[in-house]
Amino acid sequence: MNRHYYISEDLDDLETVESELEANGISTEQIHVLSEKDADVEHHHLHDVPSFMKQDVVHSGEIGAAIGAVLAAVVLGGAYLLGWTESAAGWVPFIFLAIVLFGFCTWEGGFFGIQVPNAHFRHFRQKLKEGKHVFFVDVEPEQESILDRVVQHHPALVDAGTGAASPHWIVAWQQKWHQFKRTI
């Protein structure tokens, strides 16, 4: 999937664009609006970015997990190379320490991520402060032409580039989840 970013000042136009994309087969779960005016976005019935995803929790947590994995490997490798696992306690204290280090580093990375904006949205910070909205769509390669056709009819949308999209399986899971919620 590819993610296409657009910037707009007009939430009415974004509402129209979202409706047109949905009418042409692009699901709601593929469309998002990032804005500092969450109430206005909700008033226009646009699919906003959850506040959790506006922060860098996941990305920073992944970095913390990578650091934790390295530290855990150092602990286990060091214990083995120094012969400490030959004692009566064996591997148990070192495995426990490795798990604690991994968990702590992952938690600390996520904790740090709560305090900073999402890495994917940092370069839009100035536009958001100016009161503009970032409209982005995750599309499959076969949906690119649909997006291009709809966007051409809305000159107020300013192309802001492309980026990595949510994995296909996450979008499919979100679609099934929302479908399940509607049936209940």
Side-chain angles (χ1 to χ4, degrees):
M1 292 186 99
N2 296 318
R3 178 171 286 173
H4 294 267
Y5 294 98
Y6 301 93
I7 296 175
S8 177
E9 295 179 12
D10 187 0
L11 286 174
D12 292 324
D13 189 44
L14 291 181
E15 189 173 9
T16 304
V17 172
E18 184 171 315
S19 297
E20 290 177 16
L21 289 172
E22 289 171 354
N24 284 291
I26 296 178
S27 69
T28 304
E29 293 79 14
Q30 293 174 261
I31 305 167
H32 300 278
V33 176
L34 176 65
S35 177
E36 290 190 349
K37 300 176 182 177
D38 292 336
D40 292 343
V41 170
E42 188 175 329
H43 175 72
H44 283 83
H45 307 291
L46 293 165
H47 191 228
D48 65 339
V49 177
S51 58
F52 177 78
M53 295 308 292
K54 290 180 181 180
Q55 305 307 318
D56 205 34
V57 176
V58 175
H59 180 252
S60 296
E62 289 172 345
I63 293 171
I67 292 169
V70 169
L71 291 176
V74 167
V75 165
L76 294 175
Y80 175 74
L81 291 174
L82 294 172
W84 293 345
T85 58
E86 305 295 325
S87 70
W91 283 96
V92 174
F94 303 106
I95 291 173
F96 181 72
L97 178 60
I99 291 170
V100 168
L101 279 172
F102 177 77
F104 178 76
C105 289
T106 303
W107 173 81
E108 187 64 31
F111 186 68
F112 174 78
I114 288 172
Q115 302 170 43
V116 296
N118 189 315
H120 298 291
F121 305 141
R122 283 187 193 140
H123 57 282
F124 296 118
R125 193 175 350 186
Q126 185 59 37
K127 297 291 183 188
L128 293 170
K129 285 182 181 178
E130 293 171 5
K132 297 180 181 176
H133 314 283
V134 178
F135 181 79
F136 59 95
V137 186
D138 295 339
V139 291
E140 298 286 351
E142 60 271 8
Q143 295 174 319
E144 296 274 350
S145 61
I146 296 169
L147 178 63
D148 292 339
R149 191 171 54 246
V150 170
V151 168
Q152 285 177 357
H153 293 57
H154 298 274
L157 285 179
V158 177
D159 189 354
T162 60
S166 297
H168 176 76
W169 64 271
I170 289 178
V171 174
W173 178 85
Q174 288 175 336
Q175 289 170 342
K176 290 182 190 307
W177 175 249
H178 288 130
Q179 185 178 28
F180 173 74
K181 286 191 328 186
R182 280 185 227 118
T183 58
I184 291 180

